[in-house]
Amino acid sequence: MTSLLEADPVIDPALKLPDSGPGAIQRQRKVRGLTREERTEYAIAFASGLHLVVLLRLLLDWDDLVGSSLLGLIGFILVHFLIVRERSSAEVALDKSITTVMWTIGMIVVSVLFWMVAFVTAKGIKRLRWSFVTDDLSAVGPLNPGGGAFHAIIGTLEQVGMATICVIPIAIMTAVYLHEVRGRMASVVRFVVDALAGLPSIVAGLVVITIWRDYAGYKASMALIILAIPIVTRGAEEVLRTVPDSLREASLALGAPQWRMVLRVVLPTAQAGLVTVGLLAVARMVGETAPVLLTAGGSTSTNKNPFDGQQASLSLFIYQLIRSSDATTTERAWAGALLLLLIVVVVFVAARVALARSERKLGRR
């Protein structure tokens, strides 16, 4: 007769715990959607806010659409808070109200972004043709429908490219010194970086032209370097703080020196954040106008040598043309704005694709 100790226990399959081994399949938890009562609460609150906007515009003859919409949003949140408080409690109502505010702010930001992209696209698509990318303005008058931004594209790529080559390694090494090495000069370096981060862009151009008087594209790159180094340094330092200390401790426990730990463990782990910070700096440099105006000067002809003579950029191209009252010149400016937007999008997408490939290779290694 089999003893009770030798008998296999009978376990209800419904109560069986999921496997926790490396081959176990992790089930994703589904985010709970809105219930019927919650949808009803939001609908009543939205109708109340909409009625408030209508009353303000009809009774008080308020023509300010932004102000009335803001008061309607406040009324929507307040009515929703009161309804939830009556149905449950003040704590639940406050939690749902804060969640509603965060979702609303996110939707407003995304909506404004889409509106800006759509507006620039609608304004610039009329003149954005292949000839706009291959021609410059050297032989084009203000009323001539031809011409393009080739000279500005060349200037932007050269100026931002040289600045990026200098900024990325210097800023990342500075961030490593501040967070990983933490030497004696770390507090002084952090103070200088914080001071430069609040420097107006036009001051960077003024610093460069006080040393070199004539115009050149590389001087615009120097001004952009002054602006971008503190941005990338502070962002990279924050990214390095997200790397778990357990990885550093494990590397040091295995006998790796600190420089090898930083090079082979910390930086590969933080590469996604570092790439994002670098892209933000590139986007900042591409859109700068004041330092380029003071240092590169601008031009209507193509200058492929950034070390000799005046040079244009897309941001400066837009600034100089949008001020004109002529419709043709203004259309060129909007086409340049759309082209600048497309360049930034292409850079972001290309960097993300390259980053995804490098992460897959790192995972296989």
Side-chain angles (χ1 to χ4, degrees):
M1 183 175 179
T2 306
S3 63
L4 293 176
L5 296 177
E6 296 176 354
D8 295 333
V10 178
I11 301 176
D12 188 357
L15 300 177
K16 187 176 181 180
L17 296 175
D19 296 334
S20 59
I25 301 176
Q26 296 182 355
R27 297 182 180 179
Q28 296 182 353
R29 295 179 57 186
K30 294 183 179 180
V31 179
R32 183 182 65 87
L34 296 176
T35 62
R36 181 180 300 178
E37 292 78 8
E38 291 174 337
R39 288 195 294 267
T40 304
E41 293 169 356
Y42 279 113
I44 295 174
F46 179 78
S48 302
L50 184 61
H51 278 83
L52 179 60
V53 174
V54 173
L55 289 175
L56 289 173
R57 295 184 65 85
L58 292 180
L59 299 180
L60 302 180
D61 195 18
W62 196 355
D63 295 333
D64 188 2
L65 180 60
V66 177
S68 58
S69 301
L70 181 59
L71 288 179
L73 177 61
I74 295 174
F76 161 71
I77 296 173
L78 181 60
V79 171
H80 181 262
F81 173 81
L82 295 176
I83 293 175
V84 176
R85 189 186 64 177
E86 292 297 327
R87 291 176 56 88
S88 55
S89 63
E91 290 78 8
V92 176
L94 181 61
D95 178 72
K96 289 188 176 182
S97 297
I98 294 176
T99 303
T100 303
V101 170
M102 299 304 297
W103 273 95
T104 304
I105 293 174
M107 292 174 63
I108 291 175
V109 171
V110 173
S111 301
V112 170
L113 177 62
F114 275 103
W115 175 80
M116 292 173 58
V117 172
F119 186 80
V120 173
T121 303
K123 286 283 190 178
I125 197 65
K126 301 177 183 179
R127 191 165 292 275
L128 188 61
R129 301 291 185 270
W130 181 249
S131 60
F132 186 82
V133 182
T134 57
D135 299 336
D136 56 21
L137 298 177
S138 58
V140 177
L143 300 180
N144 194 318
F150 178 73
H151 60 298
I153 297 173
I154 294 297
T156 298
L157 294 179
E158 291 181 349
Q159 295 165 17
V160 176
M162 290 190 298
T164 304
I165 292 174
C166 297
V167 166
I168 298 300
I170 294 176
I172 291 180
M173 286 189 293
T174 305
V176 169
Y177 175 78
L178 292 176
H179 188 264
E180 302 295 333
V181 179
R182 300 177 182 178
R184 296 180 179 179
M185 298 295 294
S187 58
V188 178
V189 173
R190 184 175 285 108
F191 174 78
V192 173
V193 169
D194 293 339
L196 289 176
L199 187 72
S201 59
I202 193 170
V203 176
L206 290 173
V207 170
V208 175
I209 65 172
T210 53
I211 303 175
W212 297 278
R213 295 288 182 177
D214 54 335
Y215 296 111
Y218 79 94
K219 297 175 184 177
S221 299
M222 296 174 64
L224 296 177
I225 289 171
I226 297 175
L227 293 174
I229 282 181
I231 297 175
V232 180
T233 300
R234 295 180 65 180
E237 186 180 3
E238 294 297 328
V239 170
L240 294 178
R241 290 177 181 174
T242 63
V243 178
D245 291 334
S246 58
L247 296 178
R248 299 182 178 88
E249 295 170 357
S251 302
L252 296 175
L254 292 174
Q258 187 180 25
W259 68 268
R260 192 174 185 85
M261 177 266 294
V262 172
L263 188 63
R264 300 299 298 273
V265 176
V266 176
L267 294 181
T269 305
Q271 64 177 349
L274 296 176
V275 170
T276 303
V277 172
L279 292 177
L280 292 176
V282 170
R284 167 74 184 273
M285 291 187 291
V286 167
E288 286 294 341
T289 304
V292 179
L293 177 63
L294 294 176
T295 53
S299 175
T300 57
S301 59
T302 303
N303 180 13
K304 297 182 180 180
N305 185 6
F307 299 97
D308 184 21
Q310 296 183 209
Q311 197 175 42
S313 69
L314 275 174
S315 58
L316 186 56
F317 172 85
I318 299 167
Y319 170 75
Q320 292 175 336
L321 296 185
I322 201 66
R323 302 168 62 193
S324 175
S325 59
D326 179 60
T328 303
T329 306
T330 306
E331 289 178 359
R332 291 196 190 105
W334 284 111
L338 179 58
L339 183 61
L340 181 62
L341 181 64
L342 293 176
I343 290 176
V344 173
V345 171
V346 169
V347 170
F348 268 75
V349 172
R352 284 298 178 182
V353 171
L355 179 61
R357 291 181 178 178
S358 64
E359 286 181 345
R360 285 196 296 267
K361 291 181 180 179
L362 182 63
R364 287 195 296 266
R365 289 165 57 188

